[in-house]
Amino acid sequence: MSSSNEVLRLSDIKKSYNIGEPNEIEVLHGINFTIERHDFAALIGPSGSGKSTLLNLLGLLDQPTSGEIYLMGEPTSQMDDATRTHRRGQRIGFVFQFHHLIQAFTVLDNILMPLIMAHGRPTKSHIEHARALLDAVGLSQLADRKPNQLSGGQQQRIAIARALVTKPALLLADEPTGNLDSQTAEEIFELFRQVNRENDCAVLLVTHDPRLSKTCDRAIRLVDGRIESDELLQPST
Ligand code: ADP
Ligand code: MG
């Protein structure tokens, strides 16, 4: 059953990589969970446990070998490429460890990029929206800079603003603070928390840092391609 707050539902997701026959290896062995609109969840687990593989499936960047992913109630396995790309652009935002900002463009144009790719030349309201996001991530004065003139933490803030510009229902982040010092990492986590509260956007982030994952509301632990635990965390005060 799908509730109206359900953003994502995974049903028995398996993923194999074919590293040349007969060497097909299954790295995800039947994953089930649901992400709801209010969720602020960490995906944790040892290196090689399948976290990035899973995140790429959830983000419709790659397809499972079997099972079904429902995005806002809609099954995704039979979608054609154009529909998949459209849904991804509309409903999902991504933040990676390395921000992938385009150095030749200004900060503001980087934030606008997903809208430019979807709609062409940005409208006045697109630009206003991008400026509002830049303000929300605390960097309104840097609109005209180039990414390489910013610190690592500032660049990651820009990447978060860019991920939000399409007003996604789900924000996925793969080790978004893996490249940052611990103080900056905490600030970036606080920003994700703010996004979750204020933008009505589910957040699922991969992190290695137990100090950061403990600040989330929920921790999904993956070990050897299986969910070992999925628990609600007590708010720490
Ligand atoms: P994590 O992000 O938790 O470190 P990954 O999802 O990157 O784990 O990897 C899970 C397993 O899948 C690892 O054993 C890895 O070697 C394997 N793997 C990941 N990507 C590929 C690929 N493109 N081809 C073959 N094997 C892969
Ligand atoms: Mg990974």
Side-chain angles (χ1 to χ4, degrees), residues 132-147:
L133 285 169
L134 193 56
D135 196 28
V137 301
L139 298 177
S140 49
Q141 74 285 11
L142 301 182
D144 300 323
R145 298 269 190 98
K146 296 286 171 60

Side-chain angles (χ1 to χ4, degrees), residues 151-167:
S151 71
Q154 288 171 332
Q155 294 184 23
Q156 203 56 305
R157 285 173 183 271
I158 302 303
I160 293 168
R162 178 185 55 184
L164 293 173
V165 79
T166 56
K167 301 181 184 168

Side-chain angles (χ1 to χ4, degrees), residues 51-52 174-175 206:
K51 304 182 297 298
S52 293
D174 197 352
E175 304 196 31
V206 173

Side-chain angles (χ1 to χ4, degrees), residues 56-112:
N56 289 342
L57 298 177
L58 302 186
L60 310 185
L61 294 168
D62 192 9
Q63 284 192 257
T65 309
S66 66
E68 186 62 84
I69 297 171
Y70 299 87
L71 180 60
M72 307 186 80
E74 189 181 20
T76 58
S77 65
Q78 304 300 320
M79 281 177 182
D80 60 36
D81 284 350
T83 308
R84 189 185 308 278
T85 301
H86 183 255
R87 292 292 188 279
R88 182 171 58 230
Q90 218 179 14
R91 295 176 172 169
I92 304 174
F94 283 96
V95 179
F96 299 95
Q97 177 171 358
F98 298 99
H99 48 72
H100 304 300
L101 297 174
I102 302 172
Q103 298 299 339
F105 294 162
T106 65
V107 159
L108 191 67
D109 285 344
N110 267 281
I111 296 173
L112 282 165

